[in-house]
Amino acid sequence: MKNIKTLSIICLITFFTIFSCEDVIDVEPKDRVTEVAVYGDIDQVEALVYPMYNSTEGWAIRRNDFWGQRINIESASFEAKFNFKDLNNIFQLRAGGWSKSNVGLSFASKWQNYWSYIQSTNEFLSKIDASDAMVQDPERAEVLKAEVRFLRANIYTKLIKYYGGVPILTEPAKITDSFEYTRDSYEDCVSFIVEELDAAAAILPTTRPAAEFGRATKTAALAVKSRTLLYAASDLHDPSLLPQTTNTELYSYSVASKWEDAENAAKAVIDIVGEDALIQVANATDYQNLFLSPNDNIIFARPYTAGFYEVGTGGFAAANSLPDQAQSPSGYGGWGLSSPTLNFTLEFNFNDGTTTGGVTPANPNDGREMRYYANLNFQGANFRGRQINYALSDTLPGQNTPAFPHGLDSPQGLGNVLHSSKTGYNIRKFQDESLDATNGISPNRPYILYRVAEIYLNYAEALAEQNKDGLARTYLNKVSSRALQPDITVGGDALKEAIKRERRVELCFEGHNFFDERRWLNEDHLGFDIKGLKWKTDTSGNLSFEEYSLFTDSSQGRIWFDRQYYLPIPEGDSEIVPTLIQNYGY
């Protein structure tokens, strides 16, 4: 855990704020910031908290990696694949999969980054109680302290999702420490997270004014608790179903009341937001707009403004770190970096509520449910003033020229054709089509971390696992009906599967699926033959498609190994701290 050794108080002062702060910190001496000066003034203590919000997720899965700045975890899930040149080194999910020395560029620094933020939060919490700022304004200082406890708990939720049980550290590390850390059990980590969130929720405001959009609230703390307990209750942590056979305490959760606890945690959020809180929509465009600006259905989000991007604030760097350019088809000047798989698109129903049954429809883009049109770009979709066209034209007999112009979004189209979709799909969700160009700037578009629809689905899943099917259907249908689907009437195992499908579709590309399929032990969606659609125009002008496997060599497809339920502890850190047990299979 080598990064934990670095004291970070100086680094925190030179922060990359997530808010548009007009006030400049003015402290003496001018060339450096002293702890006494910072902790002696409540305004500067508040400013110290801002950079800790960088520990939350955003559009980037890894901010200090070129590709990681422009994608998130969707390309490592059932939902999509990384598109450019079929590169495997981004996520390392083909061939031999993850090893303790190579988990792909995007995952490479997760462990170190999270512990760096744990150190930052512990540093703050070790100093705030005895500070002059606490004496100066104790009420405000207590809220800031609760924010940091919330953020630390939220970081721990990420650590245990990626690694299982980890050391619970509540004091800042010092250079003189021995660093003989040992991993706490998964169950103890969950208990710690819940206790921290409960403590934070007791102090944090239930809501924030618009100017503080993106800061922690009581509702956000309870939403993190809901997700944490839902995950803990799932099959991945069931002692009787564990994929791991050694050091099982790092992965198992044996609490008898686990599903009731998950139910109650979701209900606590619902009691605040309301039983019928979902903003209703009339069409796909209305639904798309829910993800483009702050609204009452967002519980916690990372705010993005004209002055804040993952990389830089102008030109090349800023534009393609946001979804408009990072995910648009190549013919629009987009990079199309996360290509939705055909496998995933078959999860979208028809508009009458019937399923595809996992079979590509004869007319795949006709008569599908509303969210298909809101979330996906596909052949013939009307997007930014024209129809998307991935089709290549057949060549006229005896000639070398195509019978018709190749599609503008095809491998022979406009832009950088290396970014042309290989699956016949691109991501539409999150894109602001009111912008004049894909490199435009949206004023207030958020990256949503927790929202009401997820809480309703958390509640439905916890209820269904306790055979409380009636109430589970009620909350499932609140989400499904908002998407203009007919009511779901099934029960038992079919209801549980309907909840899973609803999560895949409703929460798509929001960072859930990578973890959902793991916690459900659904290996069919973890290792699978990645499929897409190839479109062509024949010499008569007729359009057709072919379903195909992107990788004819099975070793180049999405390979699954049981060890990949979790990332390994990085090789260097496990060597420096030999008391840390390595994850199963590595």
Side-chain angles (χ1 to χ4, degrees), residues 54-305:
N54 282 327
S55 63
T56 67
E57 301 299 333
W59 300 115
I61 189 171
R62 181 183 173 191
R63 294 188 181 93
N64 59 347
D65 170 69
F66 180 83
W67 291 118
Q69 292 162 343
R70 294 160 176 83
I71 54 173
N72 209 305
I73 204 169
E74 65 279 338
S75 292
S77 75
F78 181 62
E79 297 169 334
K81 66 173 291 294
F82 184 79
N83 187 51
F84 183 71
K85 291 186 176 180
D86 289 327
L87 293 177
N88 184 42
N89 64 337
I90 309 302
F91 292 107
Q92 199 63 27
L93 289 171
R94 304 205 304 268
W98 296 338
S99 70
K100 61 184 179 181
S101 61
N102 185 4
V103 292
L105 296 173
S106 292
F107 293 125
S109 61
K110 285 291 184 187
W111 175 265
Q112 291 88 347
N113 285 346
Y114 289 148
W115 286 116
S116 176
Y117 283 115
I118 294 294
Q119 171 72 2
S120 300
T121 56
N122 285 342
E123 189 80 42
F124 178 93
L125 293 170
S126 73
K127 291 179 169 61
I128 185 63
D129 284 341
S131 70
D132 289 343
M134 179 65 82
V135 175
Q136 180 187 113
D137 194 335
E139 183 175 352
R140 189 172 162 196
E142 286 292 346
V143 173
L144 292 171
K145 181 180 173 182
E147 281 186 74
V148 174
R149 292 183 75 177
F150 162 83
L151 289 169
R152 183 175 65 180
N154 192 53
I155 299 163
Y156 266 102
T157 67
K158 301 173 193 305
L159 280 166
I160 65 172
K161 284 192 297 185
Y162 278 117
Y163 299 100
V166 295
I168 299 173
L169 305 180
T170 58
E171 297 293 333
K174 298 178 177 63
I175 297 298
T176 55
D177 289 351
S178 65
F179 300 102
E180 293 179 355
Y181 297 118
T182 57
R183 298 174 65 176
D184 287 275
S185 71
Y186 178 83
E187 195 166 313
D188 284 347
C189 289
V190 171
S191 295
F192 170 73
I193 292 166
V194 168
E195 289 169 3
E196 287 294 289
L197 292 170
D198 282 342
I203 296 172
L204 290 169
T206 303
T207 59
R208 295 269 190 178
E212 294 182 353
F213 178 76
R215 292 184 68 172
T217 63
K218 174 181 179 177
T219 315
L222 295 179
V224 178
K225 177 181 175 179
S226 171
R227 189 186 297 179
T228 301
L229 289 175
L230 180 79
Y231 279 34
S234 301
D235 287 352
L236 178 61
H237 305 292
D238 187 322
S240 66
L241 299 173
L242 288 179
Q244 302 83 16
T245 58
T246 58
N247 303 310
T248 55
E249 73 282 357
L250 300 177
Y251 317 106
S252 64
Y253 192 75
S254 58
V255 176
S257 60
K258 62 183 183 179
W259 285 114
E260 183 180 3
D261 294 344
E263 172 193 343
N264 292 337
K267 186 60 165 58
V269 182
I270 293 170
D271 287 343
I272 295 174
V273 301
E275 297 180 352
D276 294 295
L278 290 180
I279 299 170
Q280 298 303 303
V281 299
N283 51 48
T285 300
D286 288 350
Y287 183 84
Q288 283 178 266
N289 289 337
L290 295 175
F291 300 91
L292 300 181
S293 61
N295 60 66
D296 290 341
N297 280 181
I298 298 175
I299 295 173
F300 185 55
R302 185 179 176 88
Y304 282 75
T305 68

Side-chain angles (χ1 to χ4, degrees), residues 409-455:
D409 310 294
S410 74
Q412 299 294 324
L414 296 176
N416 185 340
V417 295
L418 291 174
H419 291 287
S420 177
S421 174
K422 297 176 180 63
T423 64
Y425 291 96
N426 288 105
I427 294 176
R428 189 168 196 159
K429 194 174 190 177
F430 315 121
Q431 299 217 35
D432 186 352
E433 295 175 46
S434 70
L435 298 174
D436 291 337
T438 59
N439 61 356
I441 294 174
S442 294
N444 292 302
R445 177 170 36 189
Y447 182 86
I448 299 172
L449 297 163
Y450 293 84
R451 59 187 178 98
V452 172
E454 180 203 346
I455 301 301

Side-chain angles (χ1 to χ4, degrees), residues 345-408:
T345 68
L346 296 176
E347 294 288 316
F348 289 83
N349 284 343
F350 294 101
N351 56 20
D352 64 359
T354 58
T355 72
T356 66
V359 177
T360 305
N363 298 298
N365 303 320
D366 294 346
R368 302 295 287 273
E369 64 170 287
M370 177 266 287
R371 288 173 296 194
Y372 184 89
Y373 304 105
N375 294 328
L376 300 171
N377 272 323
F378 50 85
Q379 176 67 30
N382 287 308
F383 181 66
R384 294 188 180 276
R386 68 168 174 86
Q387 288 190 333
I388 292 173
N389 190 353
Y390 299 119
L392 291 171
S393 174
D394 281 346
T395 301
L396 290 168
Q399 298 184 26
N400 293 323
T401 57
F404 295 90
H406 294 305
L408 297 180

